[in-house]
Every structure is written in C-alpha cells, then in structure tokens.
Amino acid sequence: AIEAAEAGDKIVLVNNIALDEAGVIVDKTITLDLNNYNIESVGETITVIAGGDLTIIGNGNVTGNTDNYGSGSAVWAKGGKATIKGGTYSTGFDGETYLLDAHSNDTIYTSLGGEIVIEDGTFVQTDYVWVLNEKANNQNTLTVKGGTFVGFNPSVANDADEYYLAEGFVATKDAEGNYAVVEGEWVAEVGGIKYATLAEALAADGEVVLVADIEVAASGLTIATTEIINLNGKTLTSTGDIFVVVAGGDLTINGQFV
C-alpha cells in the first residue's frame, strides 16, 4: 500500500502485517494510521529515506527484528523525516551481539541527516537495545516532545552525550518506573541526572542540587532516610511545612538561597 500511495495520502491498516527483513521504504509524504493493528519485521520495519516524510498516528504495535537475530529498528529515518504521534514501539536484540554482552539494535534510529520527532506513543526498553539513537556525525535530528518510555529515561544522555528532550519538556517517573514526557521544567539534579520534581530527586541516590525555585505542597516532604540538599542559590517555599523529618531521617541542607 505504501509503494502504491501518492504523496499526501493517508494509509489505514486493516490487518496485522508481517514484513521480511527489508521492511517497508517510505520515499514520499504520507500518513500511516495504525488503526489498532500491528506491523512487524524480522529486520527493519519502517525506513524513511531522503524525500520521505512519514507521520504515524493511531494505536498499534510497530516491532523490529522479531527473531532477535541481526539488525533491525522499528522506525529508521535514513535521510528522511518521521513524526510519531501514536503507537507502541520496540525491537529485538542482535543474537550475535547479545552473546558479547553489548548493545546492538535501536528501536528509533536516525542517520544520513534523518529527522525524527516524537510527540506521543509508547517506547519499550528491552535488554541490549537502544530505545533512541542516532548515527554520530551525520547531522541527524531526534527530538522528543511527548510519549511514554517503558524502562528508559529519555532525559539521560546517550554514550555520545546527546540529549533528545526538546527544550521546555521534562520526563516524569511513575510508580511503575516508566517515564512520561510532558511540558515543564527541571527543578533538581542528582549526579548529573535531572528531575522534574523534588520528590523524584530525593528518591535517587546522592546529593540533591536544586536548579530552580520550588514551591512545596503544604503537607511538606517527608524525610525518612539520609538526604543532602544543596540549595544552589534557589528558594524553597510552602504555605505549610517544607520538610518533615521522621524517625530514621537525617537531613543536611547546604548552599545559600536567594
């Protein structure tokens, strides 16, 4: 259907699709509506090459490298552009690389000047697989403005010290350990990792350094473990309590506030 589509067409899935290792190539401007169906490949699933501009909407699974052998991504912007607004994305690992205890495949990948914008969707971390990655020194763009990331914090830089969250967006962690990307600002960091709430930062291991002024709820934050907070020139305010140190708690506050 994609090969037969004309520029500007919208393709709606009406069945699950299993592709060979080459997957499907997009070289024009189209919209793909998953429509609650799945598309998968034993290799690459969707590759957008130069001239291609793909928008993915709707619910459904997009899975690369389903046989866990060799290379494969769910979406690869290989010189083209992909905008992801829905769907669940994952990929299998390379069986040979897995034996070497190393990362192999990428769920979402850009190269050759490709561009990917994530506005929504769910992205699943599996062992030995990068969720987000781009080929180094290729003038690629990978920008995250939304979505849920399972088992993966999209605010943490990759090995090349590249950050993918768009300015004005943060990743917040839920009770299951998943991260939702929403509009907001970072308020604290621990060991170079940024957090959108002081409670999340206090749950991490290490000194909490404030990077923004924070208004704490009137009920305050309960401190039941050993915590160190560096005010770093920022201000904590509350209409009630700020910290409530209970049995077992040991709070040290360093730094100056404005």
Side-chain angles (χ1 to χ4, degrees):
I2 289 178
E3 290 82 356
E6 296 183 359
D9 280 353
K10 177 180 178 181
I11 298 170
V12 181
L13 296 188
V14 295
N15 268 308
N16 296 326
I17 298 175
L19 303 167
D20 61 23
E21 62 183 0
V24 63
I25 307 295
V26 178
D27 61 358
K28 65 200 76 172
T29 299
I30 59 172
T31 297
L32 174 63
D33 184 350
L34 298 174
N35 192 34
N36 294 305
Y37 290 99
N38 307 321
I39 180 170
E40 63 180 38
S41 169
V42 295
E44 307 295 345
T45 300
I46 300 174
T47 302
V48 188
I49 62 174
D53 188 343
L54 172 67
T55 299
I56 303 176
I57 62 175
N59 296 318
N61 297 314
V62 181
T63 309
N65 194 30
T66 54
D67 65 356
N68 289 326
Y69 189 85
S71 63
S73 299
V75 178
W76 179 7
K78 190 179 180 181
K81 178 181 179 180
T83 302
I84 299 174
K85 298 185 176 184
T88 298
Y89 301 82
S90 63
T91 193
F93 56 79
D94 181 335
E96 291 183 317
T97 305
Y98 168 74
L99 295 176
L100 301 176
D101 194 31
H103 282 79
S104 55
N105 293 324
D106 313 285
T107 300
I108 305 297
Y109 184 58
T110 62
S111 70
L112 300 178
E115 178 182 1
I116 290 181
V117 179
I118 295 174
E119 297 183 2
D120 203 354
T122 300
F123 304 84
V124 181
Q125 170 77 68
T126 54
D127 289 340
Y128 305 99
V129 171
W130 298 112
V131 176
L132 306 175
N133 202 11
E134 57 182 335
K135 187 172 179 61
N137 304 315
N138 259 213
Q139 297 183 327
N140 314 296
T141 304
L142 204 169
T143 307
V144 180
K145 297 181 177 181
T148 299
F149 294 79
V150 179
F152 171 76
N153 183 351
S155 68
V156 177
N158 65 10
D159 285 355
D161 201 31
E162 295 163 328
Y163 292 87
Y164 299 127
L165 282 188
E167 185 175 352
F169 290 82
V170 298
T172 62
K173 188 177 182 180
D174 65 19
E176 285 72 43
N178 303 323
Y179 293 84
V181 175
V182 297
E183 291 188 74
E185 67 171 346
W186 302 115
V187 299
E189 66 179 32
V190 178
I193 298 177
K194 298 179 181 179
Y195 294 87
T197 68
L198 184 54
E200 287 180 272
L202 288 168
D205 186 17
E207 181 184 36
V208 176
V209 180
L210 303 190
V211 297
D213 296 336
I214 303 173
E215 183 174 356
V216 178
S219 57
L221 289 165
T222 299
I223 304 296
T225 56
T226 300
E227 301 288 355
I228 301 174
I229 297 177
N230 185 341
L231 296 175
N232 192 33
K234 306 303 178 183
T235 302
L236 289 168
T237 58
S238 174
T239 58
D241 297 319
I242 293 181
F243 297 112
V244 179
V245 184
V246 299
D250 185 351
L251 174 64
T252 300
I253 301 176
N254 297 323
Q256 296 181 341
F257 64 89
V258 178

